[in-house]
Amino acid sequence: MPVLRSTLLIDAPIRTVAAAVRDVSVVRATGPLAQCTARGDLLCVGDELSFQVPLVPGVRVPMRTKIVRADDSGISSELASTDQLVRRLRHDITLAETGAGTLVTDSVRWLSPWGPIGSAADVLLMRRFVLKLLQRRGNAVRSRVLSLGRAPVVVAAAIVHKGHLLAQQRSYPEHLAGRWELPGGRVEAGETDEAALIRECVEELGARVTVGARFGPDVPLPKGYLMRAYAATLADGDAVPEALEHLAVEWVPVERLAELDWLDPDIALLPELHALLTETL
């Protein structure tokens, strides 16, 4: 199969770059995106993208791909169906931490269905299209990383206790009331992420937490904010968190994670939350 690949080095943490490569705005800046099924700003496994691929001048052919991997190490997609312009297609963005920043390797491979004619089409059409796509995506990723690096930070706590995750139900604003989210809030000037999480959990739940390791990608939020997620446990195992600012709090087992109507940004963390809970069982 033909393979085209590009690399770039970005002076930013891998989680921020992981957010950029999954960002729907980056996908839109890359090429003629017709439709995307993502609920939030980040692509998740199972999301589908519809593109318009230029076949000849003035003629565009639709193509659909599905996200099959999306995590801190990058993102991958494949054809959503086989009845398309090419027989096979695989797109991989792989991230690696280095001493100079995050190395981004972007590769696209495909298989045309037309034999020798398809090989000629690869040279004249697909290769040209993919090369432009790789260049535009690299520029868009770099630009998005810069904007995310300047964003004010919101922190979220994945509080795990006895194999359950604490979720809280929003009471406001009206259009978000009833949906679920992780506890947390904005990091104030002079605060560390950990101090902000401890303060927010006391304010929202009336309980202190012990903050653990970060997990998952950075998650873009509305109004230019950026969310970082941390694992956490109750500082006092006998404490009973209360819904001081929310409609309700609930301890959710791993098998019910997908049942809750999570806020869109929290949906991007569900695979990592599932893994976090599974590790404690």
Side-chain angles (χ1 to χ4, degrees), residues 135-265:
Q135 183 178 20
R136 287 195 298 264
R137 181 160 37 236
N139 292 337
V141 168
R142 194 181 294 277
S143 176
R144 186 62 175 135
V145 167
L146 288 175
S147 65
L148 291 176
R150 296 190 293 263
V153 174
V154 168
V155 285
I159 305 172
V160 176
H161 184 64
K162 297 181 179 180
H164 290 62
L165 174 75
L166 190 141
Q168 54 186 14
Q169 191 176 35
R170 289 290 294 260
S171 59
Y172 66 91
E174 184 177 352
H175 70 285
L176 297 179
R179 300 183 70 183
W180 295 83
E181 67 177 355
L182 298 177
R186 182 171 177 176
V187 178
E188 302 294 347
E191 272 189 321
T192 63
D193 289 2
E194 291 80 2
L197 267 183
I198 292 170
R199 172 181 55 77
E200 288 285 349
C201 288
V202 170
E203 294 174 359
E204 294 181 350
L205 305 169
R208 290 182 62 85
V209 298
T210 299
V211 181
R214 276 184 66 183
F215 69 91
D218 293 346
V219 182
L221 300 179
K223 300 181 180 180
Y225 287 85
L226 184 71
M227 182 171 73
R228 296 174 182 158
Y230 290 80
T233 56
L234 294 172
D236 178 358
D238 295 324
V240 180
E242 302 177 69
L244 301 180
E245 299 180 354
H246 289 70
L247 290 176
V249 295
E250 183 174 339
W251 290 105
V252 185
V254 65
E255 61 270 15
R256 290 195 56 237
L257 275 182
E259 297 178 8
L260 298 189
D261 183 16
W262 293 94
L263 294 182
D264 291 351

Side-chain angles (χ1 to χ4, degrees), residues 85-101:
L85 177 64
V86 293
R87 185 180 302 165
R88 293 170 59 188
L89 177 73
R90 174 82 181 193
H91 172 218
D92 294 288
I93 300 179
T94 303
L95 309 178
E97 290 182 300
T98 75

Side-chain angles (χ1 to χ4, degrees), residues 107-130:
S107 62
V108 179
R109 63 190 70 206
W110 69 94
L111 180 63
S112 297
W114 305 308
I117 297 176
S119 298
D122 283 340
V123 174
L124 297 175
L125 301 173
M126 283 297 293
R127 287 177 182 269
R128 183 181 304 171
F129 171 73
V130 171

Side-chain angles (χ1 to χ4, degrees), residues 34 50-54 60-64 79 83-86:
S50 299
F51 292 91
Q52 297 291 325
V53 179
R60 293 180 178 271
V61 178
M63 182 178 294
R64 289 189 305 115
L79 285 180
D83 56 339
Q84 301 193 62
L85 177 64
V86 293

